[in-house]
Amino acid sequence: MEAPRRLLEYPNVTDGQLTNAQWVRPSRGAAERRAFGLGKRSHGPERHQCRAAEVLAIAGLNRARPLPVPQRSRSRRGRPQLTRLPGELSNMTQLKELDISNNAIREIPRNIGELRNLVSLHAYNNQISYIPPSLLSLNDLQQLNLSGNNLTALPSAIYNLFSLKEINFDDNPLLRPPMEICKGKQLYTIARYLQRADERDEKILEKIFKIVANNITETNFEFLCQKLNLANSETDMPTKSTVSLSERAHQALVIWKTQSNKLSLTAAALRDQLIRALTMIGAYEIMDKITALNLFTRAIKF
């Protein structure tokens, strides 16, 4: 069986594209080296070779020539570093191993889920602060190393990566879950924590809804609907004269939550957004009650 091709050098990096990438078959050596394009102008056999590649390493560009190229920064040692990946990466559908470590990449491409055969992703020592939802559809992924980045939260649906055997989130400013949960590098432990956190956040959000509904004034309710982009038609019920303000307010918040769920916002994100809106309309009495609730929930061991 032919050994997987390994992409080694990227002497030209322009506007986030990698061109003239060189690969060797590890079993043969540099004599078998070839060059092919990975840029938008690639066609024919070169394009096919790009798509057929199974191992791609852009780790730190240690071997690349120090060219003055856009979309690239430099490490402390003067090595050129990528700040983003080329859009054509998603065309490499046969890719099994991807190493983009030791760069200055700020985000994982949102279409990374198109790399359906990906087994190993190493992206340590970058500036990544967000895991895109499409990454969670990589059912064959077994190795995930995102240590040394800027992650503050992990997605609740990380349990979808059921093939994961090795994970590493060390050296991230994680708050959800906290780093001590991730140190064991066990997917079940992390996923279980996030599940419990979601359940708790849902309960807290419902309590906040009740606080708002039971204490808001008619004027502040109208302002709040504006801040939450709730149309008047959604809160003006036919029986408005017989329905209490509390009931109308609670229903409006439920509608807002349903709409926001389509954007995949977590209960914690909705809570923060609602608190910002209440602050903006000057609902200080309600804010005092929510603050007291937050202090109480933080005092409970979780």
Side-chain angles (χ1 to χ4, degrees), residues 237-257:
M237 294 182 284
T239 56
K240 181 175 179 179
S241 58
T242 60
V243 177
S244 68
L245 172 61
S246 175
E247 292 174 308
R248 286 190 289 121
H250 191 273
Q251 180 175 355
L253 291 172
V254 171
I255 293 173
W256 168 69
K257 178 184 176 183

Side-chain angles (χ1 to χ4, degrees), residues 13-18 58 60-61 69-75 79-87 100-109 125-129 149-150:
V13 185
T14 57
D15 194 25
Q17 297 179 30
L18 306 180
I58 323 174
L61 292 178
V69 180
Q71 298 298 333
R72 188 180 69 179
S73 65
R74 289 182 177 275
S75 65
R79 295 171 179 169
Q81 296 176 309
L82 290 180
T83 58
R84 67 183 179 90
L85 293 172
I100 54 175
S101 305
N102 298 314
N103 281 289
I105 295 170
R106 299 185 181 91
E107 64 178 21
I108 297 173
N125 294 339
N126 278 284
Q127 299 174 17
I128 298 167
S129 59
N149 279 284
N150 297 329

Side-chain angles (χ1 to χ4, degrees), residues 76-92:
R76 293 180 179 177
R77 297 183 179 180
R79 295 171 179 169
Q81 296 176 309
L82 290 180
T83 58
R84 67 183 179 90
L85 293 172
E88 287 215 348
L89 179 66
S90 62
N91 293 333
M92 304 179 71

Side-chain angles (χ1 to χ4, degrees), residues 229-278:
N229 295 320
L230 280 170
N232 290 333
S233 59
E234 294 173 343
T235 58
D236 290 340
M237 294 182 284
T239 56
K240 181 175 179 179
S241 58
T242 60
V243 177
S244 68
L245 172 61
S246 175
E247 292 174 308
R248 286 190 289 121
H250 191 273
Q251 180 175 355
L253 291 172
V254 171
I255 293 173
W256 168 69
K257 178 184 176 183
T258 302
Q259 293 176 342
S260 300
N261 284 341
K262 297 177 182 179
L263 303 176
S264 300
L265 295 178
T266 64
L270 292 176
R271 178 194 62 208
D272 293 342
Q273 187 175 337
L274 177 57
I275 289 175
R276 285 195 297 270
L278 291 168

Side-chain angles (χ1 to χ4, degrees), residues 7-155:
L7 305 188
L8 293 177
E9 299 182 354
Y10 293 84
N12 297 312
V13 185
T14 57
D15 194 25
Q17 297 179 30
L18 306 180
T19 59
N20 297 329
Q22 296 181 339
W23 58 267
V24 298
R25 293 188 178 94
S27 61
R28 298 193 180 183
E32 292 292 322
R33 182 174 296 177
R34 295 185 186 179
F36 66 90
L38 188 57
K40 292 183 178 179
R41 295 189 178 91
S42 299
H43 299 285
E46 293 83 4
R47 171 78 66 168
H48 174 73
Q49 290 170 353
C50 170
R51 290 178 175 175
E54 295 181 1
V55 182
L56 175 58
I58 323 174
L61 292 178
N62 293 344
R63 299 182 180 86
R65 294 194 295 270
L67 300 177
V69 180
Q71 298 298 333
R72 188 180 69 179
S73 65
R74 289 182 177 275
S75 65
R76 293 180 179 177
R77 297 183 179 180
R79 295 171 179 169
Q81 296 176 309
L82 290 180
T83 58
R84 67 183 179 90
L85 293 172
E88 287 215 348
L89 179 66
S90 62
N91 293 333
M92 304 179 71
T93 54
Q94 299 304 311
L95 200 64
K96 293 184 178 180
E97 299 180 31
L98 176 59
D99 188 346
I100 54 175
S101 305
N102 298 314
N103 281 289
I105 295 170
R106 299 185 181 91
E107 64 178 21
I108 297 173
R110 296 181 183 274
N111 59 356
I112 194 170
E114 297 179 25
L115 304 180
R116 296 178 296 276
N117 293 301
L118 200 64
V119 174
S120 175
L121 173 57
H122 292 274
Y124 54 86
N125 294 339
N126 278 284
Q127 299 174 17
I128 298 167
S129 59
Y130 171 72
I131 296 179
S134 66
L135 187 146
L136 305 177
S137 65
L138 297 175
N139 296 330
D140 293 337
L141 194 65
Q142 298 181 20
Q143 297 177 326
L144 177 61
N145 190 337
L146 288 172
S147 60
N149 279 284
N150 297 329
L151 295 171
T152 58
L154 300 181

